[in-house]
């Protein structure tokens, strides 16, 4: 089946990009209204004043709130304090306000990139496991993974431009003894956390993933035109997929330290790489299901039946629970031991991000658990779509919760800059994916498992 | 009632059995029972058996297990004797919940699994020392047996079953005590 990106989709994606650019631009202008500490003083005063008018009770709250904000900074400030340096609260707030548009961009860019990377990992697993059910979905997966390279470049670019707005370890003088920004803990990690290393590693990761994606697509298309008994391209794909999975699980782990965990350079967690992996895997599978259902609704995937959707929904269900398992394992171990250097991570999130932090648990766990448990529901398209949308929103908030508390603290909001960034990268994602889907027929007809897959029945 | 008679048609291949079931159903004869040595995929569909509800039962048992876990730990750890154990907050259930989750999870699984298995045993009438209901021991090895009640239509049934590829057809008086 041939597919060409429809004009409506193209226009919708372009409108999303334009709106997104406007939103992001507004975000940057808005944050630069506050140029100096003086502006922030006025802002804080008006906020405190506002509390006064409401009720005496809320006055008390806002006061304790300010105090708490100071406490939260404490873990960051501790190391500074030793050096006899203290950032005023106003200056701190000013930084947070300036960080917001960068963080909003970064969160959205990473979210869409991780969908593509998760789909790529799923694709490699299908090849390496020689799965008999999924080859009819290979072209859909290949379409989604086409965003790995552009998406990854965008993430790295934003990291490069945002610099110390995202990564405090990139501030001037953090590693210089005696400098006012000197941070002993970060200086100790500078062997890994330095700008050159960050980008060299980032480029190696991205190159590795893109090279696999390039060759797997190439062999997959070549297999289409190969002789009926010629499975050489399939075998090549099998081998490079197995190799890629080894490379992927190492680099994905390191990528999660670099690109996400390092926004909190004083904090560390050993299962963080797995946690990020579960998040991207489930988002990737969800998007595969959504794109499949979309194309099927256009009658372009006659060979995809209910059982394929059922299997994808089973994966969405299972990996959602796997994500929750890792989230809880990380949270509970740190909560239980309550070691101050680790627990600040969750203390700040529970203090300032209560709704997104626990809300994502409902969206990523409770909702899919109850909705996708029933075997019949897993083959009803609109049920899968509904669960998929909630899962995707939940995992956006998951990334939001990983980045924002470190960069904007309690000054977070899902407003124009955040939604603008989602629209911008969402539009780019749709454009890339559907343009790529139109390049080759939607049935990978040369795959030796394609007959089995077409007749797959659960 | 007259002594009920049943016809036993024996097959040696599951594909033949499946098509025989379809023929017999098409002729509107009621199949009492089919004995097979292993699960035959799609046999329940062909016989028109209602889908099982054991998964629903299991879900409900899981909910019971979760409730038991929560009630138990809330009473013991929070209400009855809220001790300070290593600084864990025992003021309310929610505050100390992460510590209870492993038990909540395990009890949910425990109840869901065990009660479902017991339900299965009860519904399929299986217990130790139960007398086996096997009409022909070969059906536990390599033969398939279809049992159809006879209502004065022995000859018609016999010829129908012969056509479907049965290797052996026996008419037996059903011993009511066998159950």
């Amino acid at each position: 089946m041939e597919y060409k990106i429809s004009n409506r989709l193209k226009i919708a994606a372009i409108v999303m990009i334009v709106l997104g650019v406007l939103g992001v631009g507004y975000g940057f202008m808005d944050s630069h209204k506050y140029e100096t500490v003086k502006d922030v003083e006025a802002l804080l005063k008006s906020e405190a004043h506002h509390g006064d008018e409401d009720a005496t009770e809320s006055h008390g709250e806002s006061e304790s709130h300010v105090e708490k904000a100071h406490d939260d900074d404490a873990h960051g400030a501790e190391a500074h304090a030793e050096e006899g340096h203290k950032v005023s609260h106003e200056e701190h707030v000013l930084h947070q306000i300036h960080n917001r548009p960068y963080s909003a961009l970064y969160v959205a860019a990473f979210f869409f990139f991780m969908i593509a990377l998760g789909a790529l990992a799923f694709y490699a697993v299908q090849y390496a496991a020689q799965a008999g059910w999924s080859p009819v979905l290979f072209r859909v997966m290949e379409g989604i993974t086409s965003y790995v390279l552009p998406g990854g470049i965008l993430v790295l670019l934003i990291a490069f431009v945002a610099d110390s707005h995202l990564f405090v370890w990139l501030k001037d003088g953090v590693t210089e003894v005696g400098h006012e920004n000197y941070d002993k803990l970060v200086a100790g990690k500078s062997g890994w956390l330095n700008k050159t290393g960050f980008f060299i590693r980032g480029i190696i990761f991205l190159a590795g993933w893109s090279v696999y994606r390039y060759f797997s697509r190439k062999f997959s298309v070549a297999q289409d035109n190969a002789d009926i008994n010629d499975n050489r391209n399939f075998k090549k794909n099998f081998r490079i997929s197995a190799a890629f999975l080894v490379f992927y699980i190492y680099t994905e782990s390191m990528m999660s330290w670099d690109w996400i965990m390092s926004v909190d350079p004083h904090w560390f967690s050993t299962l963080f790489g797995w946690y990020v992996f579960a998040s991207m895997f489930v988002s990737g599978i969800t998007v595969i299901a959504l794109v499949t259902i979309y194309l099927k609704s256009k009658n372009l995937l006659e060979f995809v039946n209910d059982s394929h959707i059922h299997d994808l929904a089973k994966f969405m269900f299972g990996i959602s629970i796997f994500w929750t398992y890792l989230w809880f394992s990380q949270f509970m171990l740190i909560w239980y031991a309550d070691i101050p250097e680790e627990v600040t991570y969750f203390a700040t999130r529970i203090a300032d991000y209560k709704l997104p932090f626990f809300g994502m648990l409902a969206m990523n766990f409770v909702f899919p658990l109850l909705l996708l448990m029933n075997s019949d529901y897993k083959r009803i398209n609109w049920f899968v779509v509904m669960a998929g949308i909630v899962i995707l929103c939940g995992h956006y908030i998951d990334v939001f919760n990983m980045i924002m508390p470190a960069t904007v603290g309690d000054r977070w909001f899902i407003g124009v800059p955040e939604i603008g960034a989602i629209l911008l990268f969402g539009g780019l994602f749709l454009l890339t994916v559907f343009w790529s889907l139109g390049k080759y027929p939607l049935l990978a007809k040369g795959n030796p498992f394609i007959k089995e897959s077409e007749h797959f029945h659960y | 009632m007259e002594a009920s008679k049943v016809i036993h048609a024996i097959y040696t291949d599951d594909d033949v059995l499946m098509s025989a079931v379809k023929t017999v159903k098409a002729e509107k004869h009621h199949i009492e029972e089919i004995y097979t040595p292993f699960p035959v995929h799609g046999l329940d569909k062909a016989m028109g058996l209602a889908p099982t509800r054991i998964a629903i039962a299991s879900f409900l048992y899981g909910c019971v297990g979760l409730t038991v876990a929560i009630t138990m730990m809330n009473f013991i750890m929070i209400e009855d004797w809220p001790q300070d154990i290593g600084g864990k907050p025992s003021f309310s259930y929610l505050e100390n919940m992460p510590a209870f989750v492993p038990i909540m999870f395990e009890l949910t699984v425990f109840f869901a699994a065990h009660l479902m298995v017991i339900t299965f045993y009860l519904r399929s009438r299986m217990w130790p020392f139960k007398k086996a209901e096997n009409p022909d021991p070969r059906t536990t090895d390599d033969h398939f047996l279809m049992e159809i009640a006879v209502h004065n239509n022995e000859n018609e049934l016999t010829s129908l079953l012969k056509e479907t590829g049965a290797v052996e057809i026996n008419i037996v008086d059903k011993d009511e005590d066998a159950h």
Side-chain angles (χ1 to χ4, degrees):
Chain A
M1 272 293 154
E2 294 288 344
Y3 170 78
K4 269 278 163 287
I5 180 166
S6 67
N7 267 334
R8 266 213 307 200
L9 191 78
K10 216 185 282 176
I11 290 166
I14 290 167
V15 168
M16 278 169 80
I17 294 172
V18 171
L19 283 178
V21 169
L22 290 176
V24 170
Y26 170 81
F28 277 101
M29 273 172 30
D30 195 46
S31 74
H32 280 272
K33 273 200 310 213
Y34 302 100
E35 289 282 6
T36 61
V37 175
K38 281 257 168 352
D39 301 331
V40 176
E41 269 168 18
L43 171 78
L44 290 177
K45 206 173 267 170
S46 79
E47 280 177 354
H49 195 59
H50 203 65
D52 255 351
E53 279 169 359
D54 284 348
T56 35
E57 218 178 317
S58 71
H59 174 68
E61 251 173 52
S62 76
E63 243 180 10
S64 68
H65 175 71
V66 172
E67 266 169 46
K68 201 162 52 195
H70 274 297
D71 282 349
D72 296 344
D73 301 339
H75 76 287
E78 257 173 327
H80 299 296
E82 283 164 26
E83 311 305 315
H85 168 76
K86 193 127 190 144
V87 188
S88 76
H89 180 57
E90 286 78 13
E91 201 181 329
H92 186 69
V93 171
L94 182 69
H95 285 312
Q96 293 182 332
I97 290 173
H98 283 177
N99 290 346
R100 189 175 156 200
Y102 292 104
S103 313
L105 263 181
Y106 191 69
V107 169
F110 184 81
F111 174 68
F112 284 102
F113 163 72
M114 94 176 178
I115 289 174
L117 189 59
L120 187 68
F122 189 69
Y123 177 74
V125 168
Q126 299 306 309
Y127 259 113
Q130 304 199 6
W133 68 279
S134 52
V136 292
L137 303 170
F138 277 178
R139 285 292 139 79
V140 176
M141 297 185 207
E142 286 162 15
I144 294 168
T145 57
S146 64
Y147 187 71
V148 166
L149 184 59
I153 291 173
L154 285 172
V155 172
L156 282 177
L157 220 59
I158 294 167
F160 187 81
V161 173
D163 205 63
S164 64
H165 282 290
L166 276 172
F167 305 104
V168 276
W169 49 270
L170 281 173
K171 266 202 218 137
D172 288 332
V174 232
T175 54
E176 267 172 59
V177 186
H179 194 280
E180 59 163 4
N181 282 339
Y182 178 65
D183 184 326
K184 202 176 168 190
L185 292 180
V186 173
K189 295 181 184 183
S190 61
W192 180 275
L193 287 184
N194 57 75
K195 197 162 187 174
T196 333
F198 181 96
F199 284 100
I200 289 176
R201 285 191 302 273
I203 288 165
I204 291 173
F205 303 157
L206 201 54
W209 303 329
S210 313
V211 164
Y212 167 69
R213 138 82 211 180
Y214 172 79
F215 281 105
S216 66
R217 169 78 148 181
K218 191 178 141 187
F219 295 147
S220 171
V221 172
Q223 182 68 47
D224 264 13
N225 307 319
D227 228 38
I228 187 79
N229 282 325
D230 177 12
N231 285 334
R232 271 176 306 168
N233 287 301
F234 175 79
K235 284 179 186 162
K236 276 189 221 159
N237 242 347
F238 171 75
R239 280 191 210 108
I240 61 170
S241 298
F244 165 74
L245 285 172
V246 177
F247 175 79
Y248 168 79
I249 208 60
Y250 280 103
T251 49
E252 187 275 334
S253 203
M254 286 188 258
M255 176 273 278
S256 76
W257 310 335
D258 268 357
W259 297 7
I260 298 189
M261 198 157 74
S262 80
V263 294
D264 286 293
H266 286 182
W267 183 78
F268 44 83
S269 162
T270 36
L271 62 65
F272 197 75
W274 278 106
Y275 173 66
V276 173
F277 162 73
S279 208
M280 68 167 64
F281 207 47
V282 69
S283 317
I285 294 166
T286 304
V287 171
I288 293 170
L290 294 183
V291 174
T292 308
I293 290 172
Y294 170 76
L295 291 174
K296 190 163 168 55
S297 75
K298 304 225 149 218
N299 281 328
L300 291 162
L301 299 175
E302 286 148 19
F303 36 85
V304 170
N305 57 39
D306 282 355
S307 294
H308 295 110
I309 307 292
H310 187 126
D311 258 36
L312 285 170
K314 266 197 281 191
F315 270 106
M316 283 160 64
F317 175 77
I319 310 293
S320 283
I321 290 167
F322 177 63
W323 173 88
T324 317
Y325 166 67
L326 293 175
W327 176 85
F328 183 71
S329 301
Q330 179 167 276
F331 174 73
M332 195 261 241
L333 284 185
I334 289 174
W335 172 87
Y336 214 121
D338 209 18
I339 299 171
E341 63 183 300
E342 289 180 349
V343 88
T344 45
Y345 186 82
F346 288 113
T348 49
R349 277 157 183 79
I350 291 173
D352 299 330
Y353 288 74
K354 218 177 220 109
L355 182 66
F357 190 66
F358 293 109
M360 79 171 172
L361 210 57
M363 294 168 87
N364 291 341
F365 174 59
V366 181
F367 197 79
L369 177 83
L370 295 177
L371 215 63
L372 294 177
M373 195 186 302
N374 190 319
S375 185
D376 295 331
Y377 293 169
K378 286 198 270 270
R379 32 185 77 222
I380 301 174
N381 284 351
W382 67 269
F383 248 87
V384 178
V385 171
M386 188 166 66
I389 289 170
V390 173
I391 289 175
L392 285 182
C393 294
H395 283 282
Y396 171 78
I397 295 174
D398 186 15
V399 182
F400 188 85
N401 278 330
M402 289 195 267
I403 302 287
M404 287 294 184
T407 54
V408 304
D410 61 344
R411 302 234 137 240
W412 68 273
F413 191 69
I414 299 192
V416 178
E418 285 79 11
I419 293 171
I422 295 173
L423 287 175
L424 170 60
F425 292 105
L428 282 172
F429 181 82
L430 287 180
L431 215 55
T432 320
V433 168
F434 282 93
W435 175 73
S436 167
L437 277 172
K439 284 213 274 193
Y440 295 102
L442 289 175
L443 179 65
K445 66 174 168 31
N447 192 296
F449 288 106
I450 203 72
K451 273 278 164 293
E452 178 182 343
S453 183
E454 282 178 43
H455 298 292
F456 171 67
H457 170 76
Y458 164 71
Chain B
M1 257 179 101
E2 57 175 315
S4 63
K5 273 185 177 177
V6 291
I7 196 158
H8 282 171
I10 296 180
Y11 298 86
T12 50
D13 187 272
D14 48 340
D15 284 335
V16 179
L17 174 76
M18 280 294 280
S19 63
V21 169
K22 283 170 192 155
T23 328
V24 173
K25 287 300 277 185
E27 295 289 325
K28 305 259 190 265
H29 292 294
H30 177 69
I31 302 172
E32 295 268 289
E33 194 65 84
I34 293 180
Y35 297 88
T36 65
F38 53 78
V40 178
H41 188 77
L43 189 59
D44 52 337
K45 279 237 170 61
M47 288 172 73
L49 298 181
T52 171
R53 288 167 296 178
I54 202 155
I56 300 169
S58 180
F59 177 76
L60 296 176
Y61 296 146
C63 296
V64 173
L66 187 62
T67 316
V68 167
I70 292 172
T71 333
M72 176 182 77
M73 286 184 294
N74 186 47
F75 177 72
I76 298 173
M77 303 301 289
I78 309 294
E79 282 174 6
D80 191 36
W81 196 356
Q83 269 197 110
D84 181 341
I85 303 166
K88 283 277 158 289
S90 51
F91 309 108
S92 75
Y93 190 76
L94 208 58
E95 264 181 299
N96 209 0
M97 200 186 73
F100 301 145
V101 167
I103 298 160
M104 286 155 68
F105 171 77
E106 293 295 349
L107 276 183
T108 309
V109 174
F110 179 86
F111 273 63
H114 289 83
L115 291 180
M116 177 175 78
V117 168
I118 293 170
T119 307
F120 170 72
Y121 286 154
L122 290 176
R123 291 291 290 153
S124 40
R125 302 170 165 278
M126 279 165 45
W127 53 82
F129 311 116
K130 173 180 165 132
K131 195 169 180 294
E133 291 172 11
N134 203 329
D136 190 322
R138 287 174 299 172
T139 60
T140 63
D141 184 13
D142 58 351
H143 285 61
F144 304 81
L145 188 150
M146 187 195 295
E147 182 179 296
I148 301 171
V150 181
H151 303 288
N152 298 325
N153 52 355
E154 291 171 30
N155 295 334
E156 185 204 334
L157 264 178
T158 312
S159 60
L160 175 68
L161 290 171
K162 266 258 146 50
E163 268 172 46
T164 60
V167 293
E168 193 180 316
I169 293 172
N170 307 318
I171 296 170
V172 281
D173 287 320
K174 193 137 185 180
D175 182 6
E176 290 297 333
D177 296 338
H179 273 280

